[in-house]
Amino acid sequence: MTQHLTQSPQFFLTAPSPCPYLEGQLERKVFTHLSGAKAVEMNDLLTQGGFRRSQNIAYRPACETCQACVSVRILAQEFKTSRNLQRVLHKNQDLVSSISNTPPTSEQYLLFQTYLEARHHLGGMSDMSALDYAMMVEDTHVDTKIIEYRKRGPDSFITGKGEGELIALALTDQMADGLSMVYSFFNPDMEERSLGTFMILDHIERTRTMGLPHVYLGYWVHGSPKMDYKTRFQPQEHLGPQGWQRYQKNK
């Protein structure tokens, strides 16, 4: 008897649980593990197919009665900065973004905890320890970057790095066709800076500089006001039954 070995991933389905975005809805997720020599290639394919990554897990919604979660990606090379977004860039012109080449730090974890306590204190990540945070960052088989945002220092134009306190951070996957923003957080006391928006603008510029087409933002949830910000970055594509198609936000 001949055995046929396959490298195809195995997919699993979670049990129903309350949806964190839409009241009264139940969510389920289909997921698979990302590991081994094909992890980078598999992460690219799955992200392009509407999956998100968390550590070594790739997942996407598989809800039985709802299809509100829609994968979003920005067309970076065609992106035009609106007046409102230009104001965000102006407010943060004193910040420098740079890729951290060190392991996760206590400074990062303290900012992470401060952000969760202010924005998601009842969420599933609120009780994460420093070790849990380090695992979130380091437990991966794909090409992941830590991008830090700090105030500009006198030598920033030489070193390319900021020298002030850590203000924001993005955990980002480098993909063959662009960047995927896995998770980001920031100082919640600096709300006037619109740091979440600023980090997306920075990722668009990084992607343009690399000559790549897409910035993946994860899911826009139709009917969830806190997800509406994702449609501000035009032009963008949404993943539907017919594949990726352009989405135009109603004025």
Side-chain angles (χ1 to χ4, degrees):
M1 179 173 154
T2 303
Q3 263 192 324
H4 297 280
L5 298 179
T6 177
Q7 293 185 337
S8 299
Q10 288 185 300
F11 291 91
F12 307 90
L13 189 64
T14 65
S17 62
C19 176
Y21 300 106
L22 299 176
E23 188 175 352
Q25 292 287 351
L26 295 176
E27 71 166 359
R28 299 189 79 178
K29 295 175 182 175
V30 60
F31 68 95
T32 189
H33 297 275
L34 295 169
S35 60
K38 296 291 186 179
V40 172
E41 178 184 348
M42 187 60 61
N43 187 52
D44 278 15
L45 290 172
L46 291 175
T47 301
Q48 292 160 6
F51 281 71
R52 295 289 286 162
R53 185 184 69 79
S54 176
Q55 294 178 238
N56 285 320
I57 298 292
Y59 67 91
R60 69 179 172 115
C63 306
E64 296 174 355
T65 61
C66 179
Q67 295 182 335
C69 293
V70 179
S71 293
V72 175
R73 67 185 186 188
I74 302 167
L75 299 175
Q77 300 300 328
E78 300 178 43
F79 175 76
K80 303 294 183 184
T81 310
S82 67
R83 286 187 177 181
N84 285 337
L85 294 178
Q86 286 174 354
R87 293 190 189 100
V88 174
L89 290 174
H90 180 73
K91 289 177 183 177
N92 293 286
Q93 61 184 340
D94 60 333
L95 300 187
V96 175
S97 64
S98 61
I99 295 176
S100 172
N101 294 314
T102 63
T105 65
S106 57
E107 185 185 25
Q108 292 172 7
Y109 175 66
L110 288 173
L111 180 62
F112 176 67
Q113 281 293 95
T114 301
Y115 171 79
L116 290 179
E117 288 172 6
R119 296 297 184 94
H120 305 286
H121 68 282
L122 296 178
M125 303 173 73
S126 60
D127 59 351
M128 286 177 62
S129 66
L131 179 58
D132 293 329
Y133 170 74
M135 290 289 288
M136 182 180 80
V137 173
E138 294 185 310
D139 187 16
T140 176
H141 292 266
V142 304
D143 187 3
T144 303
K145 312 291 185 187
I146 299 175
I147 303 178
E148 294 186 337
Y149 297 81
R150 300 176 182 271
K151 285 192 175 181
R152 191 182 303 278
D155 295 327
S156 291
F157 291 105
I158 299 173
T159 65
K161 296 183 178 182
E163 296 179 1
E165 67 173 312
L166 181 65
I167 291 174
L169 183 146
L171 183 63
T172 301
D173 286 351
Q174 170 71 63
M175 298 173 50
D177 68 333
L179 297 176
S180 176
M181 298 184 70
V182 176
Y183 194 77
S184 59
F185 52 92
F186 51 84
N187 188 331
D189 294 332
M190 297 182 175
E191 188 171 352
E192 74 285 352
R193 283 183 176 267
S194 301
L195 289 165
T197 296
F198 176 68
M199 283 190 279
I200 294 174
L201 293 172
D202 179 67
H203 279 69
I204 294 171
E205 184 56 34
R206 286 174 175 272
T207 304
R208 290 168 67 127
T209 300
M210 292 186 290
L212 298 175
H214 303 128
V215 176
Y216 289 85
L217 289 186
Y219 301 116
W220 168 62
V221 184
H222 183 65
S224 175
K226 65 182 179 181
M227 285 292 186
D228 282 347
Y229 74 92
K230 293 189 178 183
T231 61
R232 296 178 64 191
F233 305 91
Q234 300 285 337
Q236 63 180 233
E237 292 180 329
H238 289 190
L239 183 60
Q242 307 303 316
W244 289 98
Q245 296 183 323
R246 282 180 180 252
Y247 169 83
Q248 182 64 48
K249 183 179 181 180
N250 295 328
K251 302 273 184 170

